[in-house]
Amino acid sequence: MEKVVIIGTGPAGLSAAIYAARAELNPLVIEGSIPGGQLMVSHAIENYPGFPEAISGVELMELFKRQAERFGAGFLTGDITALHPGDGGYVLTRGSEKIDTRTVIIATGAQARRLPIPSESKFYGKGVSGCATCDGAFFHDRDVIVVGGGNTAMEDAVFLTRFASSVTIVHRRNYLRAAPVEVKKAKENPKIKWMIPWTVEEISGNDVVTGATLKNQETGEMRDVTCDGIFVAIGHDPETNLFRKVVDCDEYGFIKVQAGSSHTSAPGIFACGDVCDPAYKQAAVAAGRGCMAALDAQKYLEVTGY
């Protein structure tokens, strides 16, 4: 029986692996079919502590993994398809294999919702972003679009005015879901323009974004606009479908953890990173919470006896 199985290899999962491995818990890390988490599409990360020069997400996650392996973490590629209580812990299903473990650390992350157009994936990380606080500084004196009508879209738009020459909010409905106070802040900012109710129908460019084709949802009018970046702020979906019958989640699917810890509603199951974080969604925060999860798992094992 494993002592600790960590599901996910973004900054949260790999940080948990480093701490658990240094505690000689010999953690087994399940990489999933796409290892590395959301950072893998980030070509330049400038706000992760300790890296004064920009580093790509691929490079950063490789360093995390090498550090975890150095201390003895083991890795398996593939997806976990089931999680059930077992004798003295939990049983994970990976293909035809069963994995018994005393504790589980869930670090499966959350996926930013994407625009339902083929060109969006082509330009993701090349002008299209799901994180204004991560990538906004790359758009000094540029014209950008923010897609969305909720609080995140309003907050992102205001934040981006620190860097961009102009920010255009594009929203498909003729009303906004954001709180009135957030809408007021956006409307009072002279750098922010509005295109409501419009949708992004196509993104144009060669190697990077240079513009977009928008459609008015009331009149059907099509309009080409020039822009250097498109920030998609239409929400995140946590990767929790597999766990919702085992641990408590909020109305949006994020795993609930006890305040100030990584403990879930199920004994011996811990959560860290974006999978339980609807607010921050930052690599540095995820890494810190991965550390918390490993320490909580270590304490749980000590108390329950391993």
Side-chain angles (χ1 to χ4, degrees):
M1 177 176 282
E2 303 290 342
K3 296 184 182 75
V4 181
V5 171
I6 300 166
I7 309 174
T9 51
L14 291 177
S15 294
I18 291 167
Y19 274 79
R22 290 190 75 246
E24 299 186 347
L25 297 177
N26 302 314
L28 177 62
V29 185
I30 310 298
E31 292 193 279
S33 54
I34 306 176
Q38 292 187 78
L39 286 188
M40 299 300 279
V41 299
S42 296
H43 294 280
I45 298 168
E46 293 187 324
N47 58 357
Y48 195 85
F51 294 89
E53 302 298 327
I55 185 171
S56 74
V58 172
E59 291 175 301
L60 184 60
M61 290 299 92
E62 179 59 28
L63 291 173
F64 272 51
K65 182 178 179 181
R66 282 165 49 190
Q67 191 171 359
E69 288 178 322
R70 174 191 164 200
F71 293 117
F75 287 81
L76 286 177
T77 301
D79 293 316
I80 297 298
T81 56
L83 168 63
H84 300 290
D87 185 14
Y90 295 91
V91 179
L92 304 173
T93 301
R94 170 181 167 268
S96 59
E97 180 185 8
K98 302 292 184 181
I99 302 171
D100 293 297
T101 181
R102 290 291 316 282
T103 65
V104 177
I105 295 177
I106 300 171
T108 45
Q111 292 294 327
R113 293 176 189 161
R114 310 287 284 266
L115 297 176
I117 54 175
S119 54
E120 198 245 33
S121 59
K122 174 184 176 182
F123 290 105
Y124 209 86
K126 301 176 181 179
V128 176
S129 172
C131 181
T133 54
C134 305
D135 300 326
F138 295 116
F139 292 86
H140 271 283
D141 302 321
R142 303 293 182 90
D143 298 311
V144 301
I145 285 173
V146 172
V147 182
N151 286 337
T152 300
M154 300 302 111
E155 292 166 3
D156 284 358
V158 172
F159 174 80
L160 288 166
T161 60
R162 302 181 187 185
F163 313 103
S165 299
S166 70
V167 179
T168 302
I169 295 175
V170 176
H171 183 47
R172 60 181 177 168
R173 298 187 178 95
N174 58 10
Y175 62 89
L176 300 167
R177 294 176 288 107
V181 64
E182 299 299 338
V183 175
K184 185 173 183 288
K185 290 177 187 176
K187 287 187 173 180
E188 290 177 348
N189 193 305
K191 281 190 174 183
I192 294 178
K193 306 172 185 177
W194 302 80
M195 292 193 72
I196 297 175
W198 293 74
T199 56
V200 178
E201 297 294 306
E202 189 64 40
I203 300 171
S204 55
N206 292 317
D207 296 327
V208 296
V209 171
T210 58
T213 301
L214 308 183
K215 180 180 180 180
N216 187 297
Q217 294 302 295
E218 292 180 347
T219 67
E221 176 190 353
M222 305 291 286
R223 186 181 301 179
D224 291 327
V225 299
T226 300
C227 67
D228 303 291
I230 298 175
F231 290 84
V232 183
I234 55 177
H236 285 73
D237 293 315
E239 299 285 353
T240 54
N241 287 338
L242 185 64
F243 314 113
R244 294 186 188 186
K245 293 183 179 179
V246 183
V247 298
D248 291 342
C249 298
D250 68 13
E251 60 183 311
Y252 303 106
F254 290 92
I255 295 175
K256 293 181 179 180
V257 292
Q258 297 175 20
S261 82
S262 65
H263 288 266
T264 71
S265 59
I269 297 184
F270 309 87
C272 56
D274 288 4
V275 76
C276 57
D277 176 16
Y280 298 103
K281 305 180 187 72
Q282 297 296 308
V285 175
R289 291 185 171 175
C291 164
M292 291 169 59
L295 295 176
D296 287 343
Q298 178 185 351
K299 186 67 174 179
Y300 175 86
L301 289 167
E302 290 171 354
V303 170
T304 58
Y306 68 90

